[in-house]
Amino acid sequence: MDVVIVGGGPNGMMLAGELALAGVRPIVLERLSEPSAEPRSNGLAGQVVRMIDRRGLFERLGGGPGAPEPNTGYFMFAAMPLHLGLLHESPLYNLAVPELRTVQVLEERATELGADIRRGHELIDLTQDADGVTLTVARADAPPYELRARYVVGADSAHSPVRKAAGIGFPGVTYDRSTTRTVHAVVPSERIDPATGALIVPGHEPIRPFLPIRTDQGGFSYAPFPGGATLIATVEWDEPESEEPMSFEEMQASVRRVLGAEVELMPPSGEGPHLLRRLHGGNTRVAERYRNNRVFLVGDAAHVFAAGGTGLNLGLQDAINLGWKLAAALDGTVDVLDTYETERRPVAERTTVYSQAQSALLSPGEDVTGLRQLFGELLTQPGVVQVLADLVAGADVRYPVGEAAHPLAGWPVPDLTLYTSDGMVRLAELARAAKPLLIDLTEGGDLSADGVEVVRATAETEITALLVRPDSYVAWASSERHPNREELAATIAEWFGVRG
């Protein structure tokens, strides 16, 4: 086999689809016989939403027709609102979609493209040598079997057996002061402001949907997802760890302690599963390495974060970054596999800053309350909001490029509208085949490149040429009337192994 992916969650399925787009037929091993119905993430946020659009998945995931629209309202940072309307251009995009649906859509896509999805197959052991990796796999009602693969990717959660078998450490910080409770609940209609949808609680300002608040006793959030039950969550500090099953009455008591007021909550009716969960503590960790020879890590196997809800967004982008590079190495075109870690690990390190900063600003204590008051004043300044919005969206990390590179190089490609001989098209639509693209916007339209699809067009931009990688990052760009063809050819050779 060329590639075996261990883990059939959203990251593993995304990677399977990316490889299949590039002509590789991967095997996905998933120990569960069906996708887990346990409620997990509730959506995607940040630059990954634009990437989902570039793969033609935005509408399939419930985003509606057309391009994603940036969030110009509010978002959250450490239970403080970011007023995105202060910005000239918001970097934040949102897509509300349950993780179960995300897995289903990505699995359907991977299967349509030819990936081999093996549910009910669990990794037992893994060893590697210079030529490949040997996996021992268990399955229900049948003897274990062996697979031999050129590469293996662990997309198998924070407790990743692949990471452990590959001998990769997972250093970080464990926060064991917090207890988080989360339930699906029905809130009485008289508690909801019909004009704003805010939750009315005595003694508090109206609690806006999806914008958590912090009190002296803990944290509280109210998230009425369209078409589903409302999600209620609390965070409390320094509670003794309980081994008793979580109950709805326990949640009611937690809400009462955190808000200092009674909020009538009722269990949801109808088919579940309905969330009723207690988590003690949390972890922020980044793998020491993302690669050990022929074994790679993506998603939670490579990084977890105690605060911020960013793990899935990073994991999907890990998969998109790694997929085309594995395919290129397999067909012998070029080996750029080492760039996977040099590009993606700094993103996780940056997100660690984001997670730790939020944890600190959510902590109890009068000193933290004073810090939050000052922080709230800073959040009235557009420059501060821009920095934090870019951090939340993952829009502030540039992939490594040379000092002389064009300012766009190393960043995600802008979503230009192109005017070609065949009509108007969004650049995002051209990215759906996950192939390298040369966008020729020169006046003469005479750029050429062997092995790279050339699109000749005009656009309302000062850019005259763009070389776009399969993951929709800019490898090279020019704003010159006559782009440097030797520089372009060298960049094509570096990334795609062909010369134009």
Side-chain angles (χ1 to χ4, degrees), residues 261-341:
E262 194 72 42
V263 178
E264 303 84 0
L265 301 176
M266 296 173 287
S269 58
E271 292 186 10
H274 300 302
L275 194 60
L276 188 64
R277 181 170 63 200
R278 180 203 310 118
L279 295 176
H280 183 72
N283 290 280
T284 295
R285 300 181 178 276
V286 178
E288 288 179 338
R289 293 172 289 164
Y290 279 21
R291 175 188 188 182
N292 182 353
N293 298 322
R294 293 179 174 272
V295 177
F296 294 81
L297 305 175
V298 299
D300 286 356
H303 45 68
V304 292
F305 306 101
T310 55
L312 178 55
N313 300 300
L314 259 67
L316 293 175
Q317 293 179 87
D318 291 344
I320 293 165
N321 184 288
L322 180 59
W324 71 275
K325 295 175 180 179
L326 276 172
L330 285 164
D331 70 16
T333 303
V334 68
D335 187 347
V336 291
L337 287 172
D338 283 343
T339 66
Y340 169 61
E341 179 166 344

Coordinates of all heavy atoms in Angstrom, one line a residue, residues 261-341:
A261 N -27.8 32.9 40.0 CA -29.2 33.0 39.8 C -29.7 31.7 39.2 O -29.0 30.9 38.7 CB -29.4 34.1 38.7
E262 N -31.0 31.6 39.3 CA -31.7 30.3 38.8 C -32.0 30.5 37.3 O -32.6 31.5 36.9 CB -33.0 30.1 39.6 CG -33.5 28.7 39.4 CD -32.7 27.6 40.1 OE1 -32.2 27.9 41.3 OE2 -32.4 26.6 39.5
V263 N -31.6 29.5 36.5 CA -32.0 29.5 35.1 C -32.7 28.1 34.9 O -32.0 27.1 35.1 CB -30.8 29.6 34.2 CG1 -31.2 29.5 32.7 CG2 -30.1 31.0 34.4
E264 N -33.9 28.2 34.5 CA -34.7 27.0 34.4 C -34.2 26.3 33.1 O -34.4 26.8 32.0 CB -36.2 27.3 34.3 CG -36.7 28.0 35.5 CD -36.6 29.5 35.4 OE1 -36.0 30.0 34.3 OE2 -37.0 30.2 36.3
L265 N -33.7 25.1 33.2 CA -33.3 24.3 32.1 C -34.0 23.0 32.1 O -34.3 22.4 33.2 CB -31.8 24.0 32.2 CG -30.8 25.2 32.2 CD1 -29.4 24.7 32.4 CD2 -30.9 26.0 30.9
M266 N -34.4 22.5 30.9 CA -35.1 21.2 30.8 C -34.3 20.3 29.8 O -33.7 20.8 28.8 CB -36.5 21.5 30.3 CG -37.4 22.3 31.2 SD -39.0 22.7 30.5 CE -38.5 23.9 29.3
P267 N -34.3 19.0 30.1 CA -33.6 18.1 29.2 C -34.3 18.1 27.8 O -35.6 18.3 27.8 CB -33.8 16.7 29.8 CG -34.1 17.0 31.3 CD -34.8 18.3 31.3
P268 N -33.6 18.0 26.7 CA -34.2 18.0 25.4 C -35.0 16.7 25.2 O -34.7 15.7 25.7 CB -33.1 18.2 24.4 CG -31.9 17.6 25.2 CD -32.1 17.9 26.7
S269 N -36.0 16.8 24.3 CA -36.7 15.6 23.9 C -36.3 15.1 22.6 O -35.4 15.7 21.9 CB -38.2 15.9 23.9 OG -38.5 17.0 23.0
G270 N -36.8 14.0 22.1 CA -36.5 13.5 20.8 C -35.2 12.7 20.8 O -34.7 12.4 21.8
E271 N -34.8 12.3 19.6 CA -33.7 11.4 19.5 C -32.4 12.1 19.8 O -32.2 13.3 19.5 CB -33.6 10.9 18.0 CG -34.7 10.0 17.6 CD -34.5 9.4 16.2 OE1 -33.4 9.6 15.7 OE2 -35.4 8.7 15.7
G272 N -31.5 11.4 20.5 CA -30.2 11.9 20.8 C -29.2 11.5 19.8 O -29.5 11.3 18.7
P273 N -27.9 11.3 20.3 CA -27.6 11.5 21.7 C -27.5 13.0 22.1 O -27.2 13.8 21.3 CB -26.2 10.9 21.8 CG -25.6 11.0 20.4 CD -26.8 10.9 19.5
H274 N -27.9 13.2 23.3 CA -27.9 14.6 23.9 C -26.7 14.7 24.8 O -26.5 13.8 25.6 CB -29.2 14.9 24.6 CG -30.4 14.9 23.7 ND1 -30.5 15.6 22.5 CD2 -31.5 14.1 23.7 CE1 -31.6 15.4 21.9 NE2 -32.3 14.5 22.7
L275 N -25.9 15.7 24.7 CA -24.7 15.9 25.5 C -25.0 16.1 26.9 O -25.9 16.8 27.3 CB -23.9 17.1 24.9 CG -22.5 17.2 25.4 CD1 -21.7 16.0 24.9 CD2 -21.9 18.5 24.8
L276 N -24.3 15.3 27.8 CA -24.3 15.5 29.2 C -22.9 15.0 29.7 O -22.7 13.9 30.0 CB -25.4 14.5 29.8 CG -25.7 14.7 31.3 CD1 -26.3 16.1 31.6 CD2 -26.7 13.6 31.8
R277 N -22.0 16.0 29.8 CA -20.6 15.7 29.9 C -19.9 16.6 31.0 O -20.2 17.8 31.1 CB -19.9 15.9 28.6 CG -18.4 15.5 28.6 CD -17.9 15.4 27.2 NE -17.9 16.7 26.5 CZ -17.9 16.9 25.2 NH1 -17.8 15.8 24.4 NH2 -17.9 18.1 24.7
R278 N -19.0 15.9 31.7 CA -18.2 16.6 32.7 C -16.7 16.3 32.4 O -16.4 15.1 32.2 CB -18.5 16.2 34.1 CG -17.7 16.8 35.2 CD -17.6 16.0 36.5 NE -18.8 15.6 37.0 CZ -19.2 14.3 37.2 NH1 -18.3 13.4 36.8 NH2 -20.3 14.0 37.7
L279 N -15.9 17.3 32.2 CA -14.5 17.1 32.0 C -13.7 17.8 33.1 O -13.9 19.0 33.3 CB -14.1 17.7 30.6 CG -14.7 17.0 29.4 CD1 -14.3 17.7 28.1 CD2 -14.2 15.5 29.3
H280 N -12.8 17.1 33.6 CA -11.9 17.7 34.7 C -10.5 18.0 34.1 O -9.9 17.0 33.6 CB -11.8 16.7 35.9 CG -11.0 17.3 37.0 ND1 -11.5 18.3 37.8 CD2 -9.7 17.0 37.4 CE1 -10.5 18.6 38.7 NE2 -9.5 17.9 38.5
G281 N -10.1 19.2 34.1 CA -8.8 19.6 33.6 C -8.8 19.7 32.1 O -9.8 19.6 31.4
G282 N -7.6 19.9 31.6 CA -7.4 20.0 30.1 C -5.9 20.0 29.8 O -5.1 20.1 30.7
N283 N -5.6 19.8 28.5 CA -4.2 19.7 28.1 C -3.9 20.7 27.0 O -4.8 20.8 26.1 CB -3.8 18.3 27.7 CG -3.8 17.3 28.9 OD1 -2.8 17.3 29.6 ND2 -4.9 16.6 29.1
T284 N -2.7 21.2 27.0 CA -2.2 21.9 25.8 C -0.9 21.3 25.5 O 0.1 21.4 26.3 CB -2.0 23.4 26.1 OG1 -3.3 24.0 26.2 CG2 -1.4 24.1 24.9
R285 N -0.8 20.6 24.4 CA 0.4 19.8 24.1 C 0.7 19.8 22.6 O -0.3 19.9 21.8 CB 0.3 18.3 24.5 CG 0.1 18.2 26.0 CD 0.0 16.7 26.4 NE -0.2 16.6 27.9 CZ 0.8 16.7 28.8 NH1 2.0 16.8 28.3 NH2 0.6 16.6 30.0
V286 N 2.0 19.8 22.2 CA 2.4 19.7 20.8 C 3.4 18.7 20.7 O 4.4 18.6 21.5 CB 2.9 21.1 20.3 CG1 3.4 21.0 18.8 CG2 1.9 22.2 20.4
A287 N 3.3 17.8 19.7 CA 4.2 16.7 19.5 C 5.6 17.2 19.3 O 5.8 18.2 18.6 CB 3.8 15.8 18.4
E288 N 6.6 16.5 19.8 CA 8.0 16.9 19.6 C 8.4 16.9 18.2 O 9.1 17.8 17.7 CB 8.9 15.9 20.3 CG 8.9 16.0 21.8 CD 9.8 15.0 22.5 OE1 10.1 13.9 21.9 OE2 10.2 15.2 23.6
R289 N 7.8 16.0 17.4 CA 8.0 16.0 16.0 C 6.7 15.6 15.3 O 5.9 14.9 15.9 CB 9.1 14.9 15.6 CG 10.5 15.2 16.1 CD 11.4 14.0 15.8 NE 11.1 12.9 16.7 CZ 11.5 11.7 16.5 NH1 12.2 11.4 15.5 NH2 11.2 10.7 17.4
Y290 N 6.5 16.0 14.1 CA 5.4 15.6 13.3 C 5.7 14.5 12.4 O 4.8 14.0 11.7 CB 4.9 16.8 12.4 CG 4.0 17.8 13.2 CD1 4.1 17.9 14.6 CD2 3.2 18.7 12.5 CE1 3.3 18.9 15.2 CE2 2.4 19.6 13.1 CZ 2.4 19.7 14.5 OH 1.7 20.6 15.2
R291 N 7.0 14.1 12.4 CA 7.4 13.0 11.5 C 8.5 12.2 12.1 O 9.4 12.7 12.8 CB 7.9 13.6 10.2 CG 8.5 12.5 9.2 CD 9.1 13.1 8.0 NE 9.5 12.1 7.0 CZ 10.1 12.3 5.9 NH1 10.5 13.6 5.5 NH2 10.4 11.3 5.0
N292 N 8.4 10.9 12.0 CA 9.5 10.0 12.4 C 9.7 9.1 11.2 O 8.9 8.1 11.0 CB 9.2 9.2 13.6 CG 10.4 8.3 14.0 OD1 11.4 8.2 13.3 ND2 10.3 7.7 15.2
N293 N 10.6 9.4 10.3 CA 10.9 8.7 9.1 C 9.6 8.5 8.2 O 9.2 9.5 7.6 CB 11.5 7.3 9.4 CG 12.8 7.4 10.1 OD1 13.6 8.3 9.8 ND2 13.0 6.5 11.1
R294 N 9.0 7.4 8.2 CA 7.8 7.2 7.3 C 6.5 7.3 8.0 O 5.4 7.0 7.5 CB 7.9 5.8 6.6 CG 9.1 5.7 5.7 CD 9.2 4.4 5.0 NE 10.3 4.4 4.0 CZ 10.1 4.7 2.7 NH1 8.9 5.0 2.3 NH2 11.1 4.7 1.9
V295 N 6.5 7.8 9.3 CA 5.3 8.0 10.0 C 5.1 9.5 10.3 O 6.0 10.2 10.7 CB 5.4 7.2 11.4 CG1 4.1 7.5 12.2 CG2 5.5 5.7 11.1
F296 N 3.8 9.9 10.0 CA 3.5 11.3 10.2 C 2.3 11.4 11.2 O 1.5 10.5 11.3 CB 3.1 11.9 8.8 CG 4.2 12.0 7.9 CD1 4.6 10.9 7.1 CD2 4.9 13.2 7.7 CE1 5.7 11.0 6.2 CE2 6.0 13.3 6.8 CZ 6.3 12.2 6.1
L297 N 2.1 12.6 11.7 CA 1.0 12.9 12.6 C 0.2 14.1 12.1 O 0.8 15.1 11.6 CB 1.5 13.2 14.0 CG 2.4 12.2 14.7 CD1 2.9 12.7 16.1 CD2 1.7 10.9 14.9
V298 N -1.1 14.0 12.2 CA -2.0 15.1 11.9 C -3.0 15.3 13.0 O -3.4 14.4 13.8 CB -2.7 15.0 10.6 CG1 -1.7 14.9 9.4 CG2 -3.7 13.8 10.6
G299 N -3.6 16.5 13.2 CA -4.7 16.7 14.1 C -4.3 16.5 15.5 O -3.2 16.8 16.0
D300 N -5.3 16.0 16.3 CA -5.1 15.8 17.7 C -3.9 14.9 18.1 O -3.3 14.9 19.2 CB -6.3 15.2 18.4 CG -7.4 16.2 18.5 OD1 -7.2 17.4 18.1 OD2 -8.6 15.9 18.9
A301 N -3.5 14.0 17.2 CA -2.3 13.2 17.4 C -1.1 14.1 17.5 O -0.1 13.7 18.1 CB -2.1 12.2 16.3
A302 N -1.1 15.3 16.8 CA 0.0 16.2 16.8 C -0.1 17.3 17.8 O 0.9 17.9 18.2 CB 0.2 16.7 15.4
H303 N -1.3 17.7 18.2 CA -1.5 18.9 19.0 C -2.9 18.8 19.7 O -3.9 18.4 19.1 CB -1.4 20.2 18.2 CG -2.1 20.1 16.9 ND1 -3.4 20.1 16.8 CD2 -1.6 20.1 15.6 CE1 -3.8 20.1 15.5 NE2 -2.7 20.1 14.8
V304 N -3.0 19.3 20.9 CA -4.2 19.5 21.6 C -4.2 20.8 22.4 O -3.1 21.2 22.8 CB -4.6 18.3 22.6 CG1 -4.9 17.0 21.8 CG2 -3.5 18.1 23.6
F305 N -5.3 21.4 22.6 CA -5.3 22.7 23.2 C -6.5 22.8 24.3 O -7.6 22.3 24.0 CB -5.5 23.8 22.2 CG -4.5 23.8 21.1 CD1 -4.8 23.2 19.9 CD2 -3.2 24.2 21.3 CE1 -3.9 23.1 18.9 CE2 -2.3 24.1 20.3 CZ -2.6 23.6 19.1
A306 N -6.1 23.3 25.5 CA -7.1 23.3 26.5 C -8.2 24.4 26.3 O -9.3 24.2 26.9 CB -6.4 23.6 27.9
A307 N -7.9 25.4 25.6 CA -8.9 26.5 25.4 C -8.9 26.9 23.9 O -7.9 26.9 23.3 CB -8.6 27.7 26.3
G308 N -10.0 27.4 23.5 CA -10.1 28.0 22.1 C -10.9 27.2 21.1 O -11.3 27.8 20.1
G309 N -11.0 25.9 21.2 CA -11.8 25.2 20.2 C -11.2 25.2 18.8 O -11.9 25.3 17.8
T310 N -9.8 25.1 18.8 CA -9.1 25.3 17.5 C -8.6 24.0 16.9 O -8.1 24.0 15.8 CB -8.0 26.3 17.6 OG1 -7.1 25.8 18.7 CG2 -8.5 27.7 18.0
G311 N -8.7 22.9 17.7 CA -8.0 21.7 17.3 C -8.4 21.2 15.9 O -7.6 20.8 15.1
L312 N -9.7 21.1 15.7 CA -10.2 20.6 14.4 C -9.8 21.5 13.3 O -9.5 21.0 12.2 CB -11.8 20.4 14.5 CG -12.4 19.9 13.2 CD1 -11.8 18.6 12.7 CD2 -13.9 19.8 13.4
N313 N -9.9 22.8 13.5 CA -9.5 23.7 12.4 C -8.1 23.5 12.0 O -7.8 23.6 10.8 CB -9.8 25.1 12.8 CG -11.3 25.4 13.2 OD1 -12.1 25.2 12.3 ND2 -11.5 25.7 14.4
L314 N -7.2 23.3 12.9 CA -5.8 23.1 12.6 C -5.6 21.7 12.0 O -4.8 21.6 11.0 CB -4.9 23.2 13.9 CG -4.2 24.5 14.1 CD1 -5.2 25.6 14.4 CD2 -3.2 24.4 15.3
G315 N -6.3 20.7 12.5 CA -6.1 19.4 12.0 C -6.5 19.2 10.5 O -5.8 18.6 9.8
L316 N -7.6 19.8 10.1 CA -8.0 19.8 8.7 C -7.0 20.4 7.8 O -6.7 19.9 6.7 CB -9.4 20.4 8.5 CG -10.6 19.7 9.2 CD1 -11.8 20.6 9.0 CD2 -10.8 18.3 8.6
Q317 N -6.4 21.5 8.3 CA -5.3 22.2 7.5 C -4.0 21.4 7.5 O -3.3 21.4 6.5 CB -5.1 23.6 8.0 CG -6.4 24.5 7.8 CD -6.2 25.9 8.3 OE1 -5.6 26.7 7.6 NE2 -6.6 26.1 9.5
D318 N -3.8 20.7 8.6 CA -2.6 19.7 8.6 C -2.8 18.7 7.4 O -1.9 18.5 6.7 CB -2.6 18.9 9.9 CG -2.2 19.7 11.1 OD1 -1.7 20.8 10.9 OD2 -2.4 19.2 12.2
A319 N -4.0 18.2 7.3 CA -4.3 17.1 6.3 C -4.1 17.7 4.9 O -3.6 17.0 4.0 CB -5.7 16.6 6.5
I320 N -4.6 18.9 4.7 CA -4.5 19.5 3.4 C -3.1 19.8 3.0 O -2.7 19.7 1.9 CB -5.4 20.8 3.3 CG1 -6.9 20.4 3.5 CG2 -5.2 21.6 2.1 CD1 -7.8 21.6 3.8
N321 N -2.3 20.2 4.0 CA -0.8 20.5 3.8 C -0.1 19.2 3.4 O 0.7 19.2 2.5 CB -0.2 21.2 5.0 CG 1.2 21.6 4.8 OD1 2.1 20.7 4.8 ND2 1.4 22.9 4.7
L322 N -0.4 18.1 4.1 CA 0.4 16.9 4.0 C 0.0 16.1 2.8 O 0.8 15.4 2.1 CB 0.2 16.0 5.2 CG 0.9 14.7 5.3 CD1 2.4 14.9 5.1 CD2 0.6 13.9 6.6
G323 N -1.3 16.1 2.4 CA -1.8 15.2 1.3 C -1.0 15.4 0.0 O -0.5 14.4 -0.5
W324 N -0.9 16.6 -0.5 CA -0.3 16.7 -1.8 C 1.2 16.4 -1.8 O 1.8 16.0 -2.8 CB -0.5 18.1 -2.4 CG 0.1 19.2 -1.7 CD1 -0.3 19.9 -0.7 CD2 1.4 19.8 -2.2 NE1 0.6 20.9 -0.3 CE2 1.6 20.9 -1.3 CE3 2.3 19.6 -3.2 CZ2 2.8 21.7 -1.4 CZ3 3.4 20.4 -3.3 CH2 3.7 21.5 -2.4
K325 N 1.8 16.6 -0.6 CA 3.3 16.4 -0.5 C 3.5 14.9 -0.4 O 4.5 14.4 -1.0 CB 3.8 17.1 0.8 CG 3.7 18.6 0.7 CD 4.1 19.3 2.0 CE 4.0 20.8 1.9 NZ 4.3 21.5 3.2
L326 N 2.7 14.1 0.2 CA 2.8 12.7 0.2 C 2.6 12.1 -1.2 O 3.4 11.3 -1.7 CB 1.8 12.0 1.1 CG 2.1 11.9 2.6 CD1 0.9 11.4 3.4 CD2 3.3 11.0 2.9
A327 N 1.7 12.7 -1.9 CA 1.4 12.2 -3.3 C 2.6 12.5 -4.2 O 3.0 11.7 -5.0 CB 0.1 12.9 -3.8
A328 N 3.2 13.7 -4.0 CA 4.4 14.0 -4.8 C 5.6 13.1 -4.6 O 6.3 12.7 -5.5 CB 4.8 15.5 -4.6
A329 N 5.8 12.8 -3.3 CA 6.9 11.9 -2.9 C 6.6 10.5 -3.5 O 7.5 9.8 -3.9 CB 7.0 11.8 -1.4
L330 N 5.4 10.0 -3.5 CA 5.0 8.7 -3.9 C 5.2 8.6 -5.4 O 5.7 7.5 -5.9 CB 3.6 8.4 -3.6 CG 3.3 8.0 -2.1 CD1 1.9 8.1 -1.8 CD2 3.9 6.7 -1.8
D331 N 4.9 9.6 -6.2 CA 5.1 9.5 -7.7 C 6.5 9.9 -8.1 O 6.8 9.9 -9.3 CB 4.0 10.2 -8.4 CG 4.1 11.7 -8.3 OD1 5.2 12.2 -7.9 OD2 3.1 12.4 -8.7
G332 N 7.3 10.3 -7.2 CA 8.7 10.6 -7.5 C 8.9 11.9 -8.1 O 10.0 12.2 -8.6
T333 N 7.9 12.8 -8.1 CA 8.0 14.1 -8.7 C 9.0 15.0 -7.9 O 9.9 15.5 -8.5 CB 6.6 14.8 -8.7 OG1 5.7 14.0 -9.5 CG2 6.8 16.1 -9.4
V334 N 8.8 15.1 -6.6 CA 9.6 15.9 -5.7 C 9.4 15.4 -4.3 O 8.3 15.0 -4.0 CB 9.3 17.4 -5.9 CG1 7.9 17.7 -5.4 CG2 10.4 18.3 -5.3
D335 N 10.4 15.6 -3.4 CA 10.2 15.2 -2.0 C 10.3 16.5 -1.2 O 11.4 17.0 -1.0 CB 11.3 14.2 -1.6 CG 11.1 13.7 -0.2 OD1 10.2 14.3 0.6 OD2 11.7 12.7 0.2
V336 N 9.2 17.0 -0.8 CA 9.1 18.2 0.1 C 8.5 17.8 1.4 O 7.9 18.7 2.1 CB 8.4 19.3 -0.6 CG1 9.2 19.9 -1.8 CG2 7.0 18.9 -1.1
L337 N 8.6 16.6 1.8 CA 7.9 16.1 3.0 C 8.4 16.8 4.3 O 7.6 16.9 5.2 CB 8.0 14.6 3.1 CG 7.1 13.8 2.1 CD1 7.5 12.3 2.2 CD2 5.7 14.0 2.4
D338 N 9.7 17.2 4.3 CA 10.2 17.8 5.5 C 9.5 19.2 5.7 O 9.5 19.7 6.9 CB 11.7 18.0 5.4 CG 12.4 16.7 5.7 OD1 11.8 15.8 6.2 OD2 13.6 16.6 5.3
T339 N 9.0 19.8 4.7 CA 8.3 21.1 4.9 C 7.0 20.9 5.6 O 6.5 22.0 6.1 CB 8.1 21.8 3.5 OG1 7.1 21.0 2.8 CG2 9.4 21.9 2.7
Y340 N 6.4 19.7 5.7 CA 5.2 19.6 6.5 C 5.4 20.0 7.9 O 4.6 20.9 8.4 CB 4.7 18.1 6.4 CG 3.6 17.8 7.4 CD1 2.4 18.5 7.3 CD2 3.7 16.9 8.4 CE1 1.3 18.2 8.2 CE2 2.7 16.7 9.3 CZ 1.5 17.3 9.2 OH 0.5 17.1 10.1
E341 N 6.4 19.6 8.6 CA 6.6 20.0 10.0 C 7.1 21.5 10.1 O 6.6 22.2 10.9 CB 7.7 19.1 10.6 CG 8.0 19.5 12.1 CD 8.7 18.5 12.9 OE1 8.8 17.3 12.4 OE2 9.2 18.8 14.0

